[in-house]
């Protein structure tokens, strides 16, 4: 990402966060450098950094990924050569964050939407969900820590917030603290600087449930690790529940002390797998219900959600971002959300998450699957044993590539685009009535996606 691109993204952010938020939080951000999947921005104070990370981190990451797809994290840092200024007591008036918290209260703000009710369960996340539910029930500590890991945007933070919500609802007196490993470090460093280590220690020792998100962040940060280790041990010894998340398994976090790794492995380690089609569709359906209340009067054509679930496989965050944009766009232009509108509006997202399956690959897989020759799949014979697989291949070509109907027609022995359209429609109908076809499609899609 260049400075120019960042400048343009800022303008996009201006639209989505509003002018006063923009002035306070986005405008001061300066792109500092990009390295190993992390985009680092310079911020004037650690307070701004913390707040922006919490409140806008996801949005910024989403925008950055649209021009630099391999960025996995955004990071906000006070430049080293700048004297560290104490955070202002009252931050920029216009868009001050929620009422100032008791400085001794360690927990970071929780997102209301991240509840169990809003979490869609599917095969890839059912174990993590079950473990989270168990911990949230607040019974005796059964596994300590609960360690959740998985790639970006698969629901780790969502599950942690959901646990925190549920626990604090069931037991309002419980001292539940959720924070990112980055915030843990900031607080630790701040305590060191202000000579308040005793307060820091007693604050964390008084916690009943501690949740530390994205623990991989403390890799390579020795004194923070040390302090984390002591906090961790004190809490475990006191029978307090700890919940940790990371982007990979404990053993795979580089530059993390061995004794911490082994401590983290002591409890229950569960991973969130990459999403599958069903889960993505389920998530989209549940989000659409919400959007229907936000944008009454907008209609959604059949097949749009299926198309998105099939094409945007990256992670749930990107999927959600796409849907948000789609509804916002459709509401502006006041149109029904059709497949064409979707393709126009999301062209860049679709392109960047394209798995680049080719029509040739599809044809090869389909003929293998149905045990017919490639020449028969493409050739002129119209008997059912060739025609049906051909339609399946056309359908998959339409769904999984960005080729137009005439282009697909050309690759299938120079057929007309209306023939392709007919085939695609036919399979679309059969999908819902013929379970064999549905299964064939599912199998083929998985093989092609892999
Ligand atoms: P992570 O912390 O693993 O990077 P998040 O928990 O921040 O991911 O999830 C990214 C976005 O996707 C959030 O908005 C979250 O609500 C949403 N999300 C992830 N998984 C699910 C799910 N199973 N059901 C509903 N929303 C989900
Ligand atoms: Mg997260």
């Amino acid at each position: 990402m260049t400075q120019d691109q960042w400048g343009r993204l800022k303008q996009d952010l201006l639209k989505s966060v509003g002018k006063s938020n923009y002035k306070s939080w986005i405008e001061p951000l300066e792109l500092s450098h990009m390295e190993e999947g992390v985009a680092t921005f310079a911020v004037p104070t650690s307070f701004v950094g913390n707040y922006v990370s919490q409140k806008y981190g996801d949005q910024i990451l989403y925008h950055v990924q649209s021009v630099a797809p391999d960025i996995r994290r955004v990071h906000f840092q006070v430049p080293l050569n700048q004297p560290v200024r104490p955070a202002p007591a009252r931050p920029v008036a216009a868009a001050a964050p929620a009422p100032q918290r008791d400085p001794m209260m360690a927990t970071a703000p929780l997102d209301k939407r991240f509840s169990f009710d809003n979490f869609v369960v599917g095969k890839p996340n059912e174990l993590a969900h079950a473990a989270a539910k168990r911990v949230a029930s607040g019974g005796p500590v059964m596994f300590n820590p609960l360690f959740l890991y998985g790639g970006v945007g698969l629901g780790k933070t969502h599950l942690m917030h959901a646990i925190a919500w549920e626990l604090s609802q069931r037991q309002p007196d419980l001292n539940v603290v959720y924070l990112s490993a980055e915030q843990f470090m900031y607080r630790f460093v701040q305590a060191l600087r202000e000579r308040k280590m005793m307060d820091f220690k007693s604050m964390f020792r008084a916690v009943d449930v501690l949740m530390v998100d994205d623990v991989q962040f403390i890799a390579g940060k020795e004194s923070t690790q040390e302090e984390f280790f002591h906090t961790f041990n004190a809490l475990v010894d006191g029978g307090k529940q700890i919940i940790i998340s990371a982007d990979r398994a404990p053993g795979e976090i580089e530059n993390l002390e061995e004794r911490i790794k082994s401590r983290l492995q002591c409890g229950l380690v569960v991973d969130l797998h990459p999403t599958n089609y069903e889960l993505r569709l389920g998530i989209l359906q549940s989000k659409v219900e919400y959007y229907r209340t936000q944008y009454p009067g907008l209609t959604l054509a059949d097949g749009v959600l299926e198309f998105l679930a099939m094409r945007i496989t990256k992670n749930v965050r990107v999927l959600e971002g796409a849907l948000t944009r789609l509804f916002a766009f459709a509401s502006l232009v006041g149109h029904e959300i059709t497949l064409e509108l979707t393709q126009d509006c999301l062209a860049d997202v679709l392109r960047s998450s394209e798995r680049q399956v080719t029509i040739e690959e599809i044809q090869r897989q389909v003929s293998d699957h149905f045990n017919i020759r490639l020449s028969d799949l493409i050739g002129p014979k119209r008997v059912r044993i060739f025609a049906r697989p051909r339609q399946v291949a056309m359908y998959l070509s339409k769904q999984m590539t960005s080729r137009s109907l005439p282009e697909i027609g050309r690759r299938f022995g120079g057929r007309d685009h209306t023939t392709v359209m007919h085939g695609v429609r036919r399979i679309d109908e059969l999908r819902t009535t013929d379970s064999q076809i549905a299964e064939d499609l599912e199998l083929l899609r998985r093989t092609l996606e892999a």
Side-chain angles (χ1 to χ4, degrees), residues 103-349:
M104 289 309 284
M105 202 169 94
T107 200
L110 296 173
D111 190 324
K112 270 250 165 357
R113 296 163 306 154
F114 291 177
S115 63
F116 280 117
D117 284 345
N118 289 339
F119 191 82
V120 180
V121 184
K123 260 256 163 322
N125 60 22
E126 63 180 341
L127 246 150
H129 173 260
K133 267 294 214 192
R134 170 59 64 81
V135 170
S137 72
V141 175
M142 297 185 60
F143 22 77
N144 218 358
L146 168 61
F147 189 99
L148 297 170
Y149 75 91
V152 175
L154 297 182
K156 301 181 294 294
T157 298
H158 188 137
L159 280 179
M160 288 179 108
H161 285 212
I163 296 172
W165 283 124
E166 189 153 324
L167 276 174
S168 48
Q169 223 149 45
R170 279 174 197 264
Q171 305 176 43
D173 297 335
L174 212 60
N175 186 7
V176 179
V177 167
Y178 163 89
L179 78 178
S180 66
E182 194 168 0
Q183 287 162 332
F184 180 87
M185 189 190 77
Y186 283 138
R187 297 226 168 110
F188 168 63
V189 172
Q190 189 178 20
L192 281 179
R193 198 172 56 226
E194 297 172 359
R195 299 178 205 288
K196 288 191 177 149
M197 270 318 287
M198 288 306 285
D199 293 352
F200 179 89
K201 281 185 196 290
S202 58
M203 171 172 75
F204 276 100
R205 305 296 192 265
V207 162
D208 294 311
V209 178
L210 177 66
M211 308 193 190
V212 180
D213 206 351
D214 290 318
V215 80
Q216 74 277 356
F217 180 82
I218 64 168
K221 310 205 165 65
E222 280 159 35
S223 45
T224 303
Q225 283 189 32
E226 177 84 19
E227 189 54 36
F228 175 75
F229 184 70
H230 294 314
T231 307
F232 186 100
N233 288 340
L235 290 174
V236 171
D237 291 345
K240 308 296 174 58
Q241 178 74 59
I242 298 183
I243 303 149
I244 306 282
S245 85
D247 64 354
R248 65 199 74 177
E252 286 163 22
I253 305 178
E254 281 164 37
N255 299 321
L256 189 65
E257 279 182 51
E258 280 309 319
R259 55 182 186 161
I260 297 184
K261 283 187 192 174
S262 68
R263 267 299 200 167
L264 292 176
Q265 278 157 340
C266 278
L268 179 66
V269 178
V270 278
D271 60 340
L272 288 136
H273 297 275
T275 59
N276 61 14
Y277 174 76
E278 290 81 4
L279 179 60
R280 290 194 296 270
L281 189 59
I283 290 172
L284 287 169
Q285 281 162 343
S286 88
K287 307 273 173 206
V288 161
E289 267 172 49
Y290 164 79
Y291 282 118
R292 278 198 219 284
T293 63
Q294 297 290 301
Y295 302 100
L298 268 192
T299 51
L300 191 68
D302 279 349
V304 168
L305 295 186
E306 286 79 2
F307 173 78
L308 291 176
M310 180 112 65
R311 289 287 298 277
I312 303 180
T313 56
K314 213 164 183 183
N315 67 48
V316 183
R317 193 171 295 146
V318 177
L319 196 63
E320 275 183 350
L323 201 63
T324 308
R325 190 150 118 202
L326 191 56
F327 270 90
F329 184 73
S331 77
L332 282 179
V333 295
H335 285 313
E336 183 195 11
I337 302 178
T338 59
L339 202 54
E340 284 70 39
L341 183 92
T342 306
Q343 281 170 326
D344 277 359
C345 167
L346 300 176
D348 54 339
V349 185

